[in-house]
Amino acid sequence: MAVPALNRPAAVEATTSAAAVGRSAAKDGASYESALLVLAGLGIAALAAASMFVGVSDVSLPALLAGEQEAWDIFWISRVPRTLAVVLAGTAVAVAGLIMQLMARNRFVEPSTVGTVESATLGTLVVTVAAPAAPLMAKMGVASLFALAGTGLFLAVLRRLPARNTLLVPLVGIMLGGVIASVATFFAYRFDLLQTLNNWMIGDFSGVLRGRYELLWIVAALTLIGYIAADRFTVAGMGADFTTNLGMNYKAIMRLGLTLVALISAVVVTTVGAVPFLGLVVPNIVSLVFGDNLRRAVPWTAVFGAGFVLACDIAGRTIRYPYEVPVGMVMSVVGAVIFLFLLLRTRRKGAGRG
């Protein structure tokens, strides 16, 4: 039914007013979320500051204010590099997990459950055996190539699965990672490198010193690239047909995501070791709270990832003080509990739909 001529100005005015109210509400919501993000960043800064004063060596604020040289040396050589390494690794691995989940179109995958981390470890082992004197950059390059191949193999297997069951995909990834890890363990045993292999498989920041963590700044740049390309990854997560219909190159986006995930995994493994479950639980928590828009989710994923690793690192240094539990072990326990909760939650939702 056509709107009477006399009522059209009122209708137009009402529509304009509703649109203005909607824009105002969206602006207020964005401002509120930005304020929350700033508060979360301040919380991470406070947690990082607390992390610098946790440890066996006497590094306290009174000692620093008193100008004790030994305290300042330990602070700059050990505590600051360690805290920066924790923040950089936590941020990058969490974002890599988010990208991996969009690439696989499954919420239960991450680099440590699809063979990426195991492949990077195998690559590091190969270059260690073949060229023991190779510089760290060379080891990182070989580990990146192996991680790239391992992730590509998982995606190739995934495309050939008859049905993409939510729980089948991570199980296939875990099986693939187990096969690669068994190959690495065999060669490490043959060349008497089992202890070295274990150090790579369990994340540990106790050996981080000034001059031994700077490669992690590379993952900061890679995380920034992931944020810039966030919209493309969001679209690619909806499938090849949808991406192509929008005029985007689906394969190019997938190659970019594959490269980012492989490089981040390789740099973190060669520098501090594997950080398990981080790329799995943090993106899922962020998705539950903030939705699936990657550009919106990346900053929160970075903040939650850094905070999660900082909290686990502080816990690892205080649980058996003055001894230290590797952060990889703490995160394995906490991450496994959260992973089981997510699995059970998915099953309950499936049963409810049934």
Side-chain angles (χ1 to χ4, degrees):
M1 180 177 178
V3 179
L6 293 177
N7 291 338
R8 280 179 185 172
V12 172
E13 183 179 350
T15 303
T16 305
S17 176
V21 170
R23 286 194 297 270
S24 176
K27 185 176 180 180
D28 292 342
S31 301
Y32 177 71
E33 187 173 329
S34 298
L36 281 180
L37 192 59
V38 171
L39 289 176
L42 293 175
I44 297 301
L47 200 60
S51 172
M52 295 183 188
F53 297 100
V54 177
V56 177
S57 301
D58 184 19
V59 179
S60 60
L61 189 59
L64 294 177
L65 294 177
E68 295 183 12
Q69 188 59 42
E70 183 180 357
W72 277 108
D73 288 342
I74 295 173
F75 183 77
W76 288 116
I77 295 173
S78 175
R79 298 294 173 81
V80 171
R82 177 174 183 149
T83 302
L84 289 174
V86 169
V87 172
L88 291 172
T91 298
V93 173
V95 173
L98 181 61
I99 295 173
M100 186 76 233
Q101 289 173 10
L102 285 174
M103 291 169 59
R105 301 172 67 183
N106 188 285
R107 282 292 176 188
F108 295 108
V109 298
E110 64 131 357
S112 66
T113 61
V114 301
T116 304
V117 170
E118 291 81 1
S119 299
T121 304
L122 179 60
T124 309
L125 179 65
V126 168
V127 72
T128 301
V129 173
L136 191 58
M137 286 296 293
K139 293 182 178 180
M140 188 198 74
V142 175
S144 300
L145 292 176
F146 273 74
L148 198 65
T151 310
L153 178 61
F154 167 74
L155 293 176
V157 172
L158 188 61
R159 284 194 294 267
R160 287 165 175 77
L161 289 179
R164 290 198 179 186
N165 182 277
T166 303
L167 302 182
L168 179 62
V169 173
L171 288 176
V172 171
I174 292 171
M175 290 171 60
L176 178 61
V179 171
I180 298 172
S182 65
V183 173
T185 303
F186 172 77
F187 284 103
Y189 173 75
R190 291 294 301 271
F191 292 97
D192 197 21
L193 290 172
L194 278 177
Q195 186 173 356
T196 304
L197 180 67
N198 289 333
N199 290 336
W200 292 329
M201 293 301 294
I202 299 176
D204 186 12
F205 294 92
S206 61
V208 173
L209 298 172
R210 187 173 61 195
R212 295 183 56 184
Y213 83 100
E214 283 77 7
L215 280 178
L216 286 174
W217 287 106
I218 296 175
V219 301
L222 296 173
T223 304
L224 180 61
I225 294 173
Y227 176 72
I228 294 172
D231 293 335
R232 296 180 181 273
F233 290 127
T234 301
V235 173
M238 299 179 182
D241 294 337
F242 185 85
T243 306
T244 304
N245 288 337
L246 290 180
M248 296 183 182
N249 190 330
Y250 176 77
K251 291 184 178 179
I253 297 173
M254 293 295 286
R255 283 195 294 268
L256 175 61
L258 187 64
T259 303
L260 291 176
V261 171
L263 287 175
I264 289 173
S265 301
V267 173
V268 172
V269 166
T270 54
T271 307
V272 297
V275 186
F277 289 108
L278 176 62
L280 174 66
V281 300
V282 170
N284 275 281
I285 293 173
V286 172
S287 177
L288 289 175
V289 179
F290 299 103
D292 295 329
N293 187 309
L294 195 60
R295 184 169 293 278
R296 184 186 181 197
V298 166
W300 284 107
T301 302
V303 169
F304 274 72
F308 187 43
V309 182
L310 275 170
C312 290
D313 186 51
I314 293 174
R317 281 183 275 175
T318 55
I319 290 174
R320 296 191 63 221
Y321 186 87
Y323 304 102
E324 182 173 332
V325 179
V327 69
M329 291 187 178
V330 179
M331 295 189 68
S332 295
V333 175
V334 178
V337 172
I338 299 176
F339 184 39
L340 289 174
F341 168 76
L342 293 172
L343 287 176
L344 293 175
R345 182 177 178 276
T346 301
R347 288 193 62 185
R348 284 198 298 269
K349 287 176 65 177
R353 292 193 188 101

